[in-house]
Amino acid sequence: MPGYEAINSKMLQVPIGPGQEVYSKRGAMLAYTGNVAFAPTATAGQGIGGALGRAMAGEHSAMMHVTGHGSVMFGHAGLEVQVIDLSGGDSLFVEADRLLVHDTSLQVGTMFMGEQGGMRGVVRGAVTGQGLFTSQLSGQGSVAVLSDGGVIELPINPQRPVHVDPQAYVAHRGQLQNKLTTAVGLRDLIGRGSGEAFQLELSGTGVVYVQASERKI
């Protein structure tokens, strides 16, 4: 069965059939053909423990379980859609509210920000408003994420860490460590700085997805 197909930069068409069910953001269905059913799901593949933890932290995004046989068009709030294919070799880390749709074949977990950035990871969540948890998707399948203005994929290797504006960060994949860094100099102290006092440093081996704006969705 064919995979996810971009109708344009903001709309995605996803085939639904035996062995190809998906979870989608609630309210993101734009149109569909065929015999397709939508049912609310509390876990979206996470398991009860992970879903409850995120819900208690106020960082849960309502999802739908999409089944049947047909084709569904998805989009949300006019935001740009990026499809990321996972081959099973690494995991994708992304905020739950940026998930538009993903295959049910993927394993979904919840990662505490401190696991990849220590205390700085916790501080990052507080400073940027991204919260203390992020979603981890692994296995083989497709994921569609939302961004404001589209994304660019920046490769990262041990010799080439990447610094990202925390508000422009969308997701990352691979074996990466992230930490919040500061660049406070004399200009910042006297109010004439660049306005980029906080930066997210990602190092290791992988890819980071950066959106073309500093707006949190």
Side-chain angles (χ1 to χ4, degrees):
M1 185 176 288
Y4 296 8
E5 179 184 356
I7 299 173
N8 56 41
S9 65
K10 300 178 181 180
M11 298 174 65
L12 187 69
Q13 183 166 285
V14 177
I16 305 297
Q20 191 161 6
E21 300 176 356
V22 299
Y23 293 116
S24 73
K25 179 184 285 290
R26 194 173 301 179
M29 186 277 290
L30 303 176
Y32 71 88
T33 60
N35 185 18
V36 180
F38 303 83
T41 174
T43 61
Q46 277 192 93
I48 295 295
L52 285 176
R54 292 199 68 146
M56 290 176 65
E59 297 170 0
H60 174 72
S61 182
M63 303 289 283
M64 301 287 287
H65 187 194
V66 186
T67 60
H69 193 281
S71 181
V72 183
M73 285 169 278
F74 294 104
H76 180 69
L79 295 166
E80 303 281 336
V81 179
Q82 173 78 18
V83 176
I84 302 171
D85 295 315
L86 298 178
S87 62
D90 53 24
S91 295
L92 177 72
F93 299 89
V94 59
E95 285 186 87
D97 59 3
R98 289 190 181 273
L99 288 173
L100 176 66
V101 57
H102 66 83
D103 292 342
T104 59
S105 60
L106 294 172
Q107 294 80 54
V108 183
T110 301
M111 186 196 73
F112 176 57
M113 292 300 293
E115 291 182 29
Q116 285 198 340
M119 195 59 199
R120 285 180 178 270
V122 177
V123 173
R124 167 198 162 189
V127 169
T128 64
Q130 291 177 335
L132 300 180
F133 297 90
T134 193
S135 293
Q136 177 180 352
L137 294 94
S138 57
Q140 188 165 356
S142 297
V143 185
V145 300
L146 298 167
S147 72
D148 183 26
V151 301
I152 185 172
E153 300 179 27
L154 297 176
I156 301 171
N157 60 58
Q159 291 73 45
R160 185 178 180 269
V162 173
H163 293 79
V164 177
D165 184 303
Q167 302 292 350
Y169 167 88
V170 173
H172 73 267
R173 62 190 294 184
Q175 302 301 313
L176 295 178
Q177 296 77 48
N178 70 83
K179 65 180 181 179
L180 195 70
T181 62
T182 57
V184 179
L186 180 60
R187 286 181 177 269
D188 299 281
L189 293 176
I190 62 176
R192 297 180 58 192
S194 65
E196 310 294 342
F198 292 101
Q199 302 161 4
L200 184 62
E201 179 185 311
L202 296 107
S203 59
T205 303
V207 175
V208 61
Y209 299 86
V210 183
Q211 72 177 12
S213 83
E214 297 179 342
R215 183 169 74 91
K216 187 182 187 302
I217 66 174

